[in-house]
Amino acid sequence: MSQIISIQGISKTYKSGFQALKNIDLDIEKGEIFALLGPNGAGKTTLISIICGIVTPSSGTVTVGGHDIITDYRATRAMIGLVPQELTAEMFETVWATVSHSRGLFGKWPNPSHIEKVLKDLALWDKKDSKLMTLSGGMKRRVLIAKALSHEPQVLFLDEPTAGVDVELRNEMWELVKHLRDSGVTIILTTHYIQEAEDMADRIGVINKGELVLVEDKCELMHKLGRKQLTLELHDPIETIPVSLEQHQLIIAKDGNELIYTYDSQGERTGITHLLTDLAEAGIRFKDLDTSQSSLEEIFVDLVRRDQ
Amino acid sequence: MNLPAVIAIYKFEMARWTRTLLQSLVSPVIATSLYFVVFGAAIGSRITEIDGVPYGAFIVPGLIMLNLLTQSVANASFGIYFPRFTGTIYEQLSAPLSPVEIVTGYVGAAATKSTILALIILATATLFVDLRIDHPAWMVFFLVLTAITFSVLGFVLGLWAESFEQLQLVPLLVITPLTFLGGTFYSLDVLPEFWQKVSLLNPVVYLVSAFRWSFYGTSDVSVQVSLAMIGLFLVLCLAAVWWVFKTGYRLKS
Ligand SMILES: Nc1ncnc2c1ncn2[C@@H]1O[C@H](COP(=O)(O)OP(=O)(O)OP(=O)(O)O)[C@@H](O)[C@H]1O
Ligand SMILES: [Mg+2]
């Protein structure tokens, strides 16, 4: 796969003197879904705004489709659709008017059938003549997406698209995103729902305090950092772990009422059978057992905390 | 040239206007009619002719200019300030638009609106006074040039303003006084010599003077000088816009 966006050495210091981004290097592959994660204020929106031309970088370069975003801004911006984080809309306009307007702004002549398709895809067709101020928040969010898609972009930025959107709509939205990806659109999204990144993204980047702390293929990341834990609730509490069980590196929890076994779920052998045999031999009996998998959420929290 | 975008901005701005067309047109027309009733008929009948023109007719070009200036500034400043205020400006900033295209769209729409309004006021005036227009082509030329110049000024104002108060303060504190002191209702001859000289610093004097010349063939300042001054003012306003876009001042962080 070839890269569609190349970010090199991007830093941003706002006029207030605050450094929001520190020397970011990142390549986005053509046709992928890239999820940008990070706590509030990490610099996600700033990075997106720089690529889209809303914020001027303090240093560094970005190319989109091989064109520089500053010297060749017409080429790069025409390729990009942006759904901003803030819900801003021309409240007195109708859905149809505002979406058609966006298409024009991005240099495309009117194409009612395309606008119709976009509105239908986003379940906005029956609202096309409604004024934006009469729409609910989730509908306004969809209008913003429709605006971003009005000019048939090759790259779509979704800055927290699912904030304030109900579950059903969220699923529909992700269907649309997958559909767009299948049609060749590259998608960069930010989200605070890590489950979404886990479900949707091909690759994941974590940004913290203006620094890109990690970029990984999602599956590899889950594989590398994804550990499973087996918790055994014991019949009789124990104080020490018998020597015969030492090789399993068990942890005693809940005042000796629980034993915790950590293993790699993606590994060839988990060692569970072996453990259970050894437990029986040592005469340790248990009432119940439970397994849990470290989610991306935990990985993420871990990364961010480690960084502090 | 991103022509679809210029057309899109222009249409969008015109659509915003037609939604409130009645308000946009009715109030200036009523206000101007009142001027004619008060100054033209009530007071004007006691004022002698100025340069051979009855007072009621004499004030028509000035009144049209007054409306043209305030409406151009108001339309253009609001047009660009509003998206800044609501945040929808992100779209213009992220679109493949050059400053020239943005300005053409917004200023073109604002100037169109105020020109239409000026023509309606002119038509209203004919109901009250006998008018003659010696140089109709020049009349239209000055009308359009002034509409463009002050729309650019309004655009700069809309980029600069940080609040609705500031947006209204400048027209109130600067444009309106300059217009009233710019010979709208009088000929500069009536002023003491010192104030005549001071008046020449007021750009509106040149607009009104040249515009009145296109009606009655007489003017306070020579038409060539007026033309040069209007041109200079337009260039200054354009330079201000250019600077704003170049530096990203109050547009981009
Ligand atoms: N215009 C600005 N002037 C000064 N500082 C700013 C400006 N915009 C953003 N910042 C600061 O830059 C940092 C990064 O902000 P940014 O909006 O990029 O964060 P984010 O990762 O998108 O956060 P969130 O998840 O809350 O949306 C924040 O500390 C913010 O306060
Ligand atoms: Mg953000």
Side-chain angles (χ1 to χ4, degrees):
Chain A
M1 272 207 281
S2 62
Q3 72 210 34
I4 190 153
I5 299 178
S6 171
I7 301 167
Q8 275 161 11
I10 282 289
S11 295
K12 173 66 188 178
T13 306
Y14 282 108
K15 282 194 202 85
S16 59
F18 182 82
Q19 189 172 12
L21 290 177
K22 296 165 191 160
N23 202 17
I24 303 281
D25 292 307
L26 176 65
D27 285 340
I28 304 290
E29 307 287 342
K30 195 170 183 168
E32 74 174 334
I33 299 182
F34 188 90
L36 200 53
L37 302 177
N40 286 131
K44 304 179 294 293
T45 302
T46 303
L47 184 60
I48 290 178
S49 301
I50 287 175
I51 303 169
C52 295
I54 298 168
V55 168
T56 331
S58 305
S59 61
T61 55
V62 180
T63 60
V64 179
H67 305 280
D68 185 89
I69 55 158
I70 293 177
T71 56
D72 208 358
Y73 69 92
R74 276 190 201 273
T76 64
R77 293 187 195 173
M79 291 169 71
I80 295 176
L82 166 66
V83 181
Q85 183 174 4
E86 303 290 333
L87 265 184
T88 57
E90 285 113 356
M91 292 298 166
F92 303 102
E93 298 297 331
T94 64
V95 172
W96 181 269
T98 195
V99 176
S100 306
H101 177 59
S102 297
R103 183 178 170 89
L105 280 183
F106 280 79
K108 294 255 167 119
W109 294 107
N111 180 353
S113 65
H114 177 69
I115 305 289
E116 178 176 338
K117 182 180 174 304
V118 168
L119 292 183
K120 282 184 173 158
D121 284 347
L122 284 156
L124 283 169
W125 183 243
D126 55 332
K127 294 282 178 193
K128 70 179 167 49
D129 298 316
S130 306
K131 290 200 169 154
L132 293 193
M133 59 184 177
T134 66
L135 301 185
S136 73
M139 290 175 189
K140 284 192 196 112
R141 174 85 51 198
R142 274 183 283 165
V143 172
L144 292 188
I145 299 178
K147 279 160 77 77
L149 294 176
S150 66
H151 64 279
E152 301 153 71
Q154 295 169 45
V155 179
L156 181 65
F157 285 94
L158 296 161
D159 199 351
E160 289 188 40
T162 49
V165 168
D166 68 32
V167 180
E168 190 185 348
L169 187 58
R170 197 180 297 169
N171 291 338
E172 280 173 24
M173 213 177 256
W174 292 135
E175 282 308 307
L176 180 78
V177 166
K178 283 192 173 134
H179 183 74
L180 283 170
R181 197 259 310 265
D182 293 343
S183 70
V185 179
T186 307
I187 292 151
I188 296 106
L189 59 94
T190 76
T191 175
H192 284 284
Y193 301 106
I194 293 161
Q195 187 65 41
E196 283 179 358
E198 207 169 320
D199 294 347
M200 298 291 306
D202 299 312
R203 282 198 309 151
I204 288 173
V206 177
I207 192 166
N208 189 35
K209 294 186 177 160
E211 279 173 289
L212 198 59
V213 290
L214 174 138
V215 179
E216 275 271 17
D217 183 89
K218 181 191 65 186
C219 301
E220 265 168 46
L221 179 67
M222 303 290 293
H223 182 73
K224 226 188 254 176
L225 300 166
R227 303 216 152 253
K228 264 192 151 177
Q229 287 192 326
L230 174 68
T231 307
L232 300 164
E233 204 179 317
L234 302 181
H235 230 280
D236 310 300
I238 58 168
E239 271 166 27
T240 52
I241 296 169
V243 187
S244 62
L245 294 175
E246 241 168 24
Q247 54 156 326
H248 298 294
Q249 299 181 329
L250 298 171
I251 298 168
I252 300 180
K254 295 253 173 83
D255 296 329
N257 285 305
E258 277 181 18
L259 278 177
I260 296 171
Y261 174 62
T262 309
Y263 62 99
D264 184 355
S265 58
Q266 319 270 338
E268 283 276 292
R269 34 184 50 215
T270 57
I272 293 178
T273 326
H274 202 122
L275 171 72
L276 295 183
T277 319
D278 287 355
L279 278 173
E281 273 173 18
I284 297 176
R285 293 188 302 151
F286 51 91
K287 310 189 262 204
D288 199 2
L289 80 173
D290 185 31
T291 63
S292 65
Q293 182 165 25
S294 59
S295 64
L296 188 56
E297 177 119 25
E298 283 162 310
I299 297 169
F300 168 72
V301 170
D302 197 46
L303 258 175
V304 170
R305 204 172 284 149
R306 202 187 304 162
D307 214 51
Q308 273 166 354
Chain B
M1 181 83 183
N2 185 348
L3 198 58
V6 176
I7 294 172
I9 295 175
Y10 184 86
K11 273 194 182 164
F12 197 78
E13 286 297 297
M14 293 306 286
R16 195 164 60 75
W17 185 60
T18 46
R19 271 200 306 272
T20 54
L21 195 59
L22 220 56
Q23 283 145 274
S24 318
L25 292 182
V26 166
S27 59
V29 167
I30 291 180
T32 321
S33 303
L34 289 175
Y35 275 114
F36 286 125
V37 173
V38 174
F39 289 108
I43 302 175
S45 57
R46 300 175 190 213
I47 300 177
T48 50
E49 295 188 343
I50 299 178
D51 300 333
V53 181
Y55 188 67
F58 177 84
I59 62 169
V60 171
L63 274 179
I64 293 175
M65 274 291 153
L66 175 72
N67 279 287
L68 190 69
L69 298 191
T70 41
Q71 291 298 314
S72 297
V73 171
N75 280 327
S77 62
F78 191 80
I80 188 68
Y81 178 74
F82 198 62
R84 281 181 60 217
F85 175 75
T86 58
T88 55
I89 189 86
Y90 83 86
E91 207 177 14
Q92 277 89 324
L93 292 178
S94 63
L97 279 171
S98 72
V100 174
E101 288 152 3
I102 299 186
V103 173
T104 308
Y106 279 103
V107 166
T112 307
K113 295 177 216 176
S114 53
T115 303
I116 292 174
L117 180 82
L119 293 174
I120 289 175
I121 289 176
L122 179 63
T124 313
T126 60
L127 303 177
F128 293 89
V129 287
D130 285 331
L131 278 181
R132 63 165 219 269
I133 302 174
D134 286 357
H135 311 284
W138 280 105
M139 194 274 289
V140 172
F141 175 75
F142 280 125
L143 203 63
V144 172
L145 187 65
T146 309
I148 292 174
T149 306
F150 278 74
S151 296
V152 177
L153 181 69
F155 191 81
V156 176
L157 173 65
L159 286 175
W160 165 83
E162 294 265 55
S163 65
F164 275 102
E165 284 76 35
Q166 287 184 348
L167 201 62
Q168 292 178 329
L169 217 59
V170 171
L172 205 68
L173 291 183
V174 182
I175 311 288
T176 312
L178 283 184
T179 324
F180 274 89
L181 300 176
T184 314
F185 295 108
Y186 52 84
S187 164
L188 286 191
D189 306 339
V190 302
L191 295 177
E193 201 171 327
F194 173 73
W195 288 108
Q196 284 192 28
K197 291 230 170 71
V198 173
S199 294
L200 292 180
L201 295 174
N202 179 353
V204 178
V205 164
Y206 301 95
L207 302 173
V208 173
S209 171
F211 196 52
R212 191 173 286 135
W213 168 84
S214 70
F215 279 73
Y216 307 121
T218 59
S219 61
D220 291 330
V221 190
S222 91
V223 180
Q224 286 86 345
V225 173
S226 290
L227 204 55
M229 294 304 278
I230 301 170
L232 180 69
F233 196 57
L234 177 60
V235 170
L236 284 180
C237 292
L238 287 173
V241 175
W242 177 82
W243 181 82
V244 167
F245 277 104
K246 184 156 177 359
T247 59
Y249 177 75
R250 292 201 177 173
L251 269 181
K252 292 189 186 188
S253 39

